[in-house]
Amino acid sequence: MHSMTQRVSMALLMACTTALAHGQELEPRSFNNLPIDQTFVFVGAARSDGDLSPPGSSPLQDAELTIDGLAVGVSRTFDLAGSSAKADAVATRLCYEGEGLFRGEYVEGRRCEYADPRFKLTWNFLGAPAMSMQQFAGWQQDLVAGVSVSVNAPWGDYTSRQLINAGSNRWSIKPVLGMSKRYGTRWQWEAKLGATFYEDNDDYYNGAQLQQDPLYSTSFHVIYNLPRGWLSLDANYFTGGRTTVDGQKQDTRQDNSRWGVTWSRPLMPRHLLKVYASTGVITRIGNEFNSFGVAWLYRF
């Protein structure tokens, strides 16, 4: 029962996790099967430090930032067309401080704000039948394929008078296609392809219009299941996302890659802990930063 509870809850923990930008996510076990009719709550804290793009849209150049985030989320699993599915909602509070150049002038500051909330729907349409907790206890995964759609709503703190905002003042949507396969009792891999599409921001800094090309991403995870918990090596690549401000194309196309490690284990039958870290390995713009985080999940 302990092993089954671990398998159930840890995939949900990944689904709750939010990142600073969609293309930079490193979320292992996003497409694992789960028993239906389960509810989870999630609390996570993370720090990112280095040369990175702020969570919202910013005209800063050469920004050196430290961003501390606290995220709270809830997830629910359910039956969708005979296969397992889950819905997630996450709210995040960010505190950031840093410095950079704005039109050649040095600027610095510190502020705490609410980021845009995130909503996500995941459906494992192949190899993940909808099962109760009791049925799931004896099930063994082979190949699972699924899709997810996440939406960031423009409800976070934002003003066009500020150089940095936690909110983005625009909708974004990210569809993802993923596959996961398990080998024996220990090894598993997962691969994902996704793209983030952005609405225009018609109230960018000082009332300008911001447009952004889609950001395309892929990620791969190699997971080793420990006697209690699991360990994952994670890598991704994302490209695109070039911005245009008032019709003028900016030199902001991303061509970046990150790698990281994730470790998790159950604490008690209904409690789980996750610790993760990542860093940039290939950088064209805004990716030379390190991230560290810890998360706790409780299953009702």
Side-chain angles (χ1 to χ4, degrees):
M1 184 67 179
H2 221 51
S3 176
M4 181 270 293
T5 301
Q6 172 190 324
R7 287 190 291 142
V8 171
S9 300
M10 287 318 305
L12 261 296
L13 182 56
M14 297 303 104
C16 290
T17 305
T18 186
L20 291 176
H22 277 176
Q24 298 168 356
E25 289 173 356
L26 287 170
E27 297 182 13
R29 296 171 61 109
S30 299
F31 290 94
N32 273 27
N33 194 14
L34 297 166
I36 61 172
D37 300 327
Q38 303 294 307
T39 301
F40 300 79
V41 293
F42 155 90
V43 177
R47 164 167 284 198
S48 293
D49 186 19
D51 177 10
L52 71 160
S53 301
S57 305
S58 174
L60 277 174
Q61 302 294 320
D62 299 325
E64 292 286 335
L65 294 173
T66 297
I67 300 178
D68 294 308
L70 178 65
V72 178
V74 61
S75 295
R76 178 71 177 175
T77 62
F78 57 96
D79 182 339
L80 180 59
S83 295
S84 70
K86 62 181 180 288
D88 313 304
V90 180
T92 307
R93 175 81 169 173
L94 298 175
C95 291
Y96 43 89
E97 63 178 331
E99 58 190 29
L101 296 177
F102 175 65
R103 295 176 180 172
E105 304 247 347
Y106 172 80
V107 292
E108 61 180 357
R110 173 179 173 81
R111 192 164 59 253
C112 293
E113 297 177 329
Y114 289 100
D116 293 338
R118 180 184 177 192
F119 306 94
K120 184 176 180 181
L121 175 66
T122 303
W123 178 41
N124 293 322
F125 58 80
L126 176 67
M131 294 177 286
S132 67
M133 180 73 79
Q134 292 73 22
Q135 293 171 323
F136 188 80
W139 181 79
Q140 293 296 323
Q141 176 181 328
D142 185 18
L143 177 67
V144 172
V147 292
S148 69
V149 177
S150 55
V151 175
N152 276 30
W155 303 337
D157 292 326
Y158 181 88
T159 172
S160 62
R161 299 186 303 274
Q162 294 177 170
L163 292 172
I164 298 176
N165 289 279
S168 60
N169 194 43
R170 59 181 180 176
W171 292 87
S172 65
I173 183 170
K174 181 179 181 180
V176 173
L177 175 65
M179 299 180 66
S180 174
K181 183 172 176 60
R182 186 152 182 166
Y183 293 92
T185 59
R186 295 297 186 190
W187 292 98
Q188 180 181 348
W189 62 260
E190 183 177 70
K192 290 173 280 188
L193 291 172
T196 306
F197 302 91
Y198 304 93
E199 183 188 32
D200 294 347
N201 180 358
D202 293 325
D203 191 24
Y204 187 51
Y205 186 70
N206 282 339
Q209 183 190 58
L210 173 74
Q211 298 173 304
Q212 186 167 5
D213 294 341
L215 182 64
Y216 302 99
S217 61
T218 182
S219 65
F220 189 80
H221 311 271
V222 178
I223 302 155
Y224 183 75
N225 293 284
L226 303 165
R228 285 179 57 82
W230 50 266
L231 181 70
S232 175
L233 297 179
D234 316 307
N236 72 2
Y237 173 74
F238 45 103
T239 185
R242 185 176 183 180
T243 57
T244 301
V245 179
D246 280 345
Q248 299 294 317
K249 289 189 175 296
Q250 309 295 302
D251 186 22
T252 53
R253 181 183 61 82
Q254 300 185 51
D255 189 14
N256 302 336
S257 179
R258 298 185 62 77
W259 73 270
V261 60
T262 306
W263 170 81
S264 183
R265 65 162 294 165
L267 300 178
M268 289 179 281
R270 294 179 179 268
H271 299 262
L272 291 135
L273 177 71
K274 181 191 77 167
V275 179
Y276 60 92
S278 69
T279 189
V281 290
I282 300 175
T283 298
R284 185 180 188 274
I285 185 170
N287 189 49
E288 292 182 353
F289 65 94
N290 299 314
S291 289
F292 308 91
V294 61
W296 165 84
L297 181 139
Y298 178 78
R299 179 178 62 85
F300 287 98

